[in-house]
Amino acid sequence: MANDASTVFDLVILGGGSGGYAAALRGAQLGLDVALIEKNKLGGTCLHNGCIPTKALLHAGEVADQAREAEQFGVKASFEGIDIKGVHKYKDDVIAGLYKGLQGLVASRKVTYIEGTGHLSSPTSVDVDGRRVEGRHVLLATGSVPKSLPGLEIDGNRIITSDHALTLDRVPESAIILGGGVIGVEFASAWKSFGTEVTVIEGMKHLVPVEDENSSKLLERAFRKRGIKFNLGTFFQSAEYTDNGVKVTLADGKTFEAEVLLVAIGRGPVSAGLGYEEQGVAMDRGYVLVDEYMRTNVETISAVGDLVPTLQLAHVGFAEGILVAERLAGLKTVPIDYDGVPRVTYCHPEVASVGITEAKAKEIYGADKVVALKYNLAGNGKSKILKTAGEIKLVQVKDGAVVGVHMVGDRMGEQVGEAQLIYNWEALPAEVAQLIHAHPTQNEALGEAHLALAGKPLHSHD
């Protein structure tokens, strides 16, 4: 197999999603000669099948809710329904604009972009549709795909994944969503706003089970108020077609019927048949194993993004890709503190967090060494204006730093930036309390929570 123009690149990247293209852009910026290989579209899951399109659907749903509820703000408006073709056009226009910009960015950095299906052919090469691309180092960034369960056949019409849901040509009258994690509750929220009757099935005892239990309970309360049904604590057993849709049976015998079943039980790594194991790369259940610097057990190979068993978030992929590029360029790098990564679930209301849960803090530091404080958004002027309910919960090591910030409420995702600084800079409540937050803003609620935790509450009770 012929080498690609006899060039040996400094870095060959297999996969052009968040982790792959971030490594390409940063590597090229640092003077590395980079080849980026992608079989589908540059931008990967996040841009085309994940973060961006789902948030567009959620925003369309928010606009629909605002039209329905306009009268409570003294505005006369009428809601006449969802034009799903119009929603998809809006969503696709957003994606197209970002996609064009990303293509231009990669070209401007002089990254060699190669379209085609890649296969790891040696510790320093990737074969792409008959061409061999050689590199001093190879970065694996092939991402993830929606998971299913044994015996559950995805047909793309009645039993679907999130990929199908993003292009569904109709608003389903009713839907069962299998999985109450981020993907499940986001689609539950968007579909409910579109007018779908939604039931979420979650085998764990709470929705968004990786979040602080208080956040889960607040979301469950909000979903009940919105009319989103859910069944918790019992696992899925089987699904079968009915005359008009799908029937789902749980392990306890309980059954549910709806027009569609969305399987949202998470995403699994794309690694099978790509040559990783043949080249000696250590794997576990399809994931590529890496150390804190994203190095595999093979000296010339690194891996990032959904392919490795870290948080499946686009911004984590960005950070991991940048870390690899900087390490290869000889810069001093610092391992990622995954607890310090902001996490946002963009349902209505939003769930945002950074740091560790109260339960985890007690496990690490001891129950007597942990202090938790809840600040209700009812005391926040801007939240009142927006008519959103929720809380900010702070978790602190007694007489020490804030180690967890957990927020529920509309637009809380926009507040997680300051929360990230508080956690990562190991801020004391008194230090945050000294900062003056603009009034009236929802951001002010973070300041008020820290004022209370520092022992000098303003718009909250002792």
Side-chain angles (χ1 to χ4, degrees), residues 275-292:
Y276 299 171
E277 290 172 301
E278 290 86 339
Q279 300 308 321
V281 176
M283 312 275 289
D284 180 31
R285 295 170 294 116
Y287 290 100
V288 172
L289 299 179
V290 293
D291 67 7
E292 59 188 353

PDB file of all heavy atoms in Angstrom, residues 275-292:
ATOM      1  N   GLY A 275      -8.805  -2.301  13.938  1.00  0.00           N
ATOM      2  CA  GLY A 275      -7.395  -2.678  14.041  1.00  0.00           C
ATOM      3  C   GLY A 275      -6.731  -2.351  15.358  1.00  0.00           C
ATOM      4  O   GLY A 275      -5.518  -2.559  15.508  1.00  0.00           O
ATOM      5  N   TYR A 276      -7.481  -1.870  16.322  1.00  0.00           N
ATOM      6  CA  TYR A 276      -6.866  -1.438  17.588  1.00  0.00           C
ATOM      7  C   TYR A 276      -6.250  -2.621  18.335  1.00  0.00           C
ATOM      8  O   TYR A 276      -5.077  -2.582  18.744  1.00  0.00           O
ATOM      9  CB  TYR A 276      -7.891  -0.747  18.474  1.00  0.00           C
ATOM     10  CG  TYR A 276      -8.503   0.513  17.895  1.00  0.00           C
ATOM     11  CD1 TYR A 276      -9.583   1.128  18.511  1.00  0.00           C
ATOM     12  CD2 TYR A 276      -8.001   1.106  16.735  1.00  0.00           C
ATOM     13  CE1 TYR A 276     -10.154   2.286  17.999  1.00  0.00           C
ATOM     14  CE2 TYR A 276      -8.556   2.251  16.214  1.00  0.00           C
ATOM     15  CZ  TYR A 276      -9.646   2.835  16.853  1.00  0.00           C
ATOM     16  OH  TYR A 276     -10.210   3.979  16.337  1.00  0.00           O
ATOM     17  N   GLU A 277      -7.037  -3.660  18.529  1.00  0.00           N
ATOM     18  CA  GLU A 277      -6.542  -4.810  19.285  1.00  0.00           C
ATOM     19  C   GLU A 277      -5.404  -5.513  18.550  1.00  0.00           C
ATOM     20  O   GLU A 277      -4.444  -5.994  19.177  1.00  0.00           O
ATOM     21  CB  GLU A 277      -7.692  -5.779  19.559  1.00  0.00           C
ATOM     22  CG  GLU A 277      -8.691  -5.228  20.574  1.00  0.00           C
ATOM     23  CD  GLU A 277      -9.932  -6.095  20.711  1.00  0.00           C
ATOM     24  OE1 GLU A 277     -10.625  -6.296  19.699  1.00  0.00           O
ATOM     25  OE2 GLU A 277     -10.194  -6.550  21.843  1.00  0.00           O
ATOM     26  N   GLU A 278      -5.508  -5.561  17.217  1.00  0.00           N
ATOM     27  CA  GLU A 278      -4.451  -6.203  16.437  1.00  0.00           C
ATOM     28  C   GLU A 278      -3.111  -5.509  16.620  1.00  0.00           C
ATOM     29  O   GLU A 278      -2.046  -6.147  16.513  1.00  0.00           O
ATOM     30  CB  GLU A 278      -4.815  -6.212  14.945  1.00  0.00           C
ATOM     31  CG  GLU A 278      -5.955  -7.150  14.574  1.00  0.00           C
ATOM     32  CD  GLU A 278      -7.323  -6.513  14.752  1.00  0.00           C
ATOM     33  OE1 GLU A 278      -7.440  -5.517  15.510  1.00  0.00           O
ATOM     34  OE2 GLU A 278      -8.283  -7.000  14.134  1.00  0.00           O
ATOM     35  N   GLN A 279      -3.124  -4.227  16.897  1.00  0.00           N
ATOM     36  CA  GLN A 279      -1.878  -3.478  17.102  1.00  0.00           C
ATOM     37  C   GLN A 279      -1.464  -3.423  18.563  1.00  0.00           C
ATOM     38  O   GLN A 279      -0.561  -2.681  18.935  1.00  0.00           O
ATOM     39  CB  GLN A 279      -2.014  -2.058  16.529  1.00  0.00           C
ATOM     40  CG  GLN A 279      -2.305  -2.016  15.043  1.00  0.00           C
ATOM     41  CD  GLN A 279      -1.332  -2.835  14.219  1.00  0.00           C
ATOM     42  OE1 GLN A 279      -0.136  -2.843  14.514  1.00  0.00           O
ATOM     43  NE2 GLN A 279      -1.837  -3.521  13.197  1.00  0.00           N
ATOM     44  N   GLY A 280      -2.165  -4.208  19.393  1.00  0.00           N
ATOM     45  CA  GLY A 280      -1.758  -4.339  20.794  1.00  0.00           C
ATOM     46  C   GLY A 280      -2.307  -3.287  21.730  1.00  0.00           C
ATOM     47  O   GLY A 280      -1.857  -3.181  22.883  1.00  0.00           O
ATOM     48  N   VAL A 281      -3.289  -2.499  21.281  1.00  0.00           N
ATOM     49  CA  VAL A 281      -3.860  -1.457  22.134  1.00  0.00           C
ATOM     50  C   VAL A 281      -4.744  -2.103  23.200  1.00  0.00           C
ATOM     51  O   VAL A 281      -5.634  -2.907  22.890  1.00  0.00           O
ATOM     52  CB  VAL A 281      -4.684  -0.455  21.303  1.00  0.00           C
ATOM     53  CG1 VAL A 281      -5.358   0.576  22.202  1.00  0.00           C
ATOM     54  CG2 VAL A 281      -3.796   0.238  20.276  1.00  0.00           C
ATOM     55  N   ALA A 282      -4.508  -1.763  24.462  1.00  0.00           N
ATOM     56  CA  ALA A 282      -5.291  -2.328  25.569  1.00  0.00           C
ATOM     57  C   ALA A 282      -6.722  -1.795  25.523  1.00  0.00           C
ATOM     58  O   ALA A 282      -6.946  -0.583  25.390  1.00  0.00           O
ATOM     59  CB  ALA A 282      -4.637  -1.987  26.899  1.00  0.00           C
ATOM     60  N   MET A 283      -7.683  -2.726  25.660  1.00  0.00           N
ATOM     61  CA  MET A 283      -9.102  -2.383  25.548  1.00  0.00           C
ATOM     62  C   MET A 283      -9.874  -2.951  26.735  1.00  0.00           C
ATOM     63  O   MET A 283      -9.439  -3.895  27.388  1.00  0.00           O
ATOM     64  CB  MET A 283      -9.687  -2.975  24.258  1.00  0.00           C
ATOM     65  CG  MET A 283      -8.877  -2.743  22.997  1.00  0.00           C
ATOM     66  SD  MET A 283      -9.218  -1.173  22.224  1.00  0.00           S
ATOM     67  CE  MET A 283     -10.860  -1.457  21.587  1.00  0.00           C
ATOM     68  N   ASP A 284     -11.056  -2.382  26.978  1.00  0.00           N
ATOM     69  CA  ASP A 284     -11.974  -2.923  27.977  1.00  0.00           C
ATOM     70  C   ASP A 284     -13.397  -2.635  27.533  1.00  0.00           C
ATOM     71  O   ASP A 284     -13.798  -1.474  27.450  1.00  0.00           O
ATOM     72  CB  ASP A 284     -11.711  -2.299  29.356  1.00  0.00           C
ATOM     73  CG  ASP A 284     -12.662  -2.840  30.422  1.00  0.00           C
ATOM     74  OD1 ASP A 284     -13.083  -4.012  30.305  1.00  0.00           O
ATOM     75  OD2 ASP A 284     -12.995  -2.083  31.355  1.00  0.00           O
ATOM     76  N   ARG A 285     -14.137  -3.682  27.195  1.00  0.00           N
ATOM     77  CA  ARG A 285     -15.529  -3.557  26.736  1.00  0.00           C
ATOM     78  C   ARG A 285     -15.676  -2.581  25.563  1.00  0.00           C
ATOM     79  O   ARG A 285     -16.641  -1.836  25.479  1.00  0.00           O
ATOM     80  CB  ARG A 285     -16.440  -3.130  27.901  1.00  0.00           C
ATOM     81  CG  ARG A 285     -16.551  -4.161  29.002  1.00  0.00           C
ATOM     82  CD  ARG A 285     -17.247  -3.646  30.235  1.00  0.00           C
ATOM     83  NE  ARG A 285     -16.476  -2.598  30.877  1.00  0.00           N
ATOM     84  CZ  ARG A 285     -16.903  -1.344  30.989  1.00  0.00           C
ATOM     85  NH1 ARG A 285     -18.079  -0.986  30.522  1.00  0.00           N
ATOM     86  NH2 ARG A 285     -16.148  -0.448  31.590  1.00  0.00           N
ATOM     87  N   GLY A 286     -14.679  -2.575  24.705  1.00  0.00           N
ATOM     88  CA  GLY A 286     -14.729  -1.718  23.530  1.00  0.00           C
ATOM     89  C   GLY A 286     -14.069  -0.367  23.719  1.00  0.00           C
ATOM     90  O   GLY A 286     -13.778   0.326  22.741  1.00  0.00           O
ATOM     91  N   TYR A 287     -13.829   0.031  24.954  1.00  0.00           N
ATOM     92  CA  TYR A 287     -13.154   1.302  25.236  1.00  0.00           C
ATOM     93  C   TYR A 287     -11.637   1.118  25.135  1.00  0.00           C
ATOM     94  O   TYR A 287     -11.101   0.072  25.513  1.00  0.00           O
ATOM     95  CB  TYR A 287     -13.491   1.805  26.635  1.00  0.00           C
ATOM     96  CG  TYR A 287     -14.906   2.281  26.798  1.00  0.00           C
ATOM     97  CD1 TYR A 287     -15.874   1.469  27.387  1.00  0.00           C
ATOM     98  CD2 TYR A 287     -15.289   3.550  26.362  1.00  0.00           C
ATOM     99  CE1 TYR A 287     -17.177   1.902  27.538  1.00  0.00           C
ATOM    100  CE2 TYR A 287     -16.595   3.989  26.509  1.00  0.00           C
ATOM    101  CZ  TYR A 287     -17.535   3.167  27.098  1.00  0.00           C
ATOM    102  OH  TYR A 287     -18.834   3.598  27.238  1.00  0.00           O
ATOM    103  N   VAL A 288     -10.957   2.148  24.664  1.00  0.00           N
ATOM    104  CA  VAL A 288      -9.498   2.158  24.657  1.00  0.00           C
ATOM    105  C   VAL A 288      -9.025   2.694  26.004  1.00  0.00           C
ATOM    106  O   VAL A 288      -9.480   3.758  26.454  1.00  0.00           O
ATOM    107  CB  VAL A 288      -8.959   3.038  23.504  1.00  0.00           C
ATOM    108  CG1 VAL A 288      -7.443   3.200  23.622  1.00  0.00           C
ATOM    109  CG2 VAL A 288      -9.315   2.422  22.154  1.00  0.00           C
ATOM    110  N   LEU A 289      -8.138   1.977  26.641  1.00  0.00           N
ATOM    111  CA  LEU A 289      -7.659   2.377  27.965  1.00  0.00           C
ATOM    112  C   LEU A 289      -6.490   3.348  27.843  1.00  0.00           C
ATOM    113  O   LEU A 289      -5.583   3.137  27.031  1.00  0.00           O
ATOM    114  CB  LEU A 289      -7.241   1.139  28.761  1.00  0.00           C
ATOM    115  CG  LEU A 289      -8.358   0.118  29.019  1.00  0.00           C
ATOM    116  CD1 LEU A 289      -7.818  -1.078  29.804  1.00  0.00           C
ATOM    117  CD2 LEU A 289      -9.524   0.766  29.757  1.00  0.00           C
ATOM    118  N   VAL A 290      -6.535   4.409  28.636  1.00  0.00           N
ATOM    119  CA  VAL A 290      -5.484   5.434  28.601  1.00  0.00           C
ATOM    120  C   VAL A 290      -5.088   5.821  30.020  1.00  0.00           C
ATOM    121  O   VAL A 290      -5.812   5.559  30.982  1.00  0.00           O
ATOM    122  CB  VAL A 290      -5.966   6.700  27.846  1.00  0.00           C
ATOM    123  CG1 VAL A 290      -6.190   6.416  26.372  1.00  0.00           C
ATOM    124  CG2 VAL A 290      -7.240   7.270  28.477  1.00  0.00           C
ATOM    125  N   ASP A 291      -3.921   6.477  30.126  1.00  0.00           N
ATOM    126  CA  ASP A 291      -3.520   7.017  31.423  1.00  0.00           C
ATOM    127  C   ASP A 291      -4.007   8.461  31.529  1.00  0.00           C
ATOM    128  O   ASP A 291      -4.775   8.941  30.695  1.00  0.00           O
ATOM    129  CB  ASP A 291      -2.008   6.894  31.623  1.00  0.00           C
ATOM    130  CG  ASP A 291      -1.193   7.771  30.675  1.00  0.00           C
ATOM    131  OD1 ASP A 291      -1.781   8.596  29.931  1.00  0.00           O
ATOM    132  OD2 ASP A 291       0.050   7.648  30.670  1.00  0.00           O
ATOM    133  N   GLU A 292      -3.556   9.173  32.540  1.00  0.00           N
ATOM    134  CA  GLU A 292      -4.052  10.535  32.788  1.00  0.00           C
ATOM    135  C   GLU A 292      -3.609  11.532  31.717  1.00  0.00           C
ATOM    136  O   GLU A 292      -4.148  12.639  31.638  1.00  0.00           O
ATOM    137  CB  GLU A 292      -3.606  11.008  34.173  1.00  0.00           C
ATOM    138  CG  GLU A 292      -2.093  11.032  34.362  1.00  0.00           C
ATOM    139  CD  GLU A 292      -1.681  11.317  35.788  1.00  0.00           C
ATOM    140  OE1 GLU A 292      -2.552  11.636  36.611  1.00  0.00           O
ATOM    141  OE2 GLU A 292      -0.476  11.231  36.081  1.00  0.00           O
TER     142      GLU A 292
END
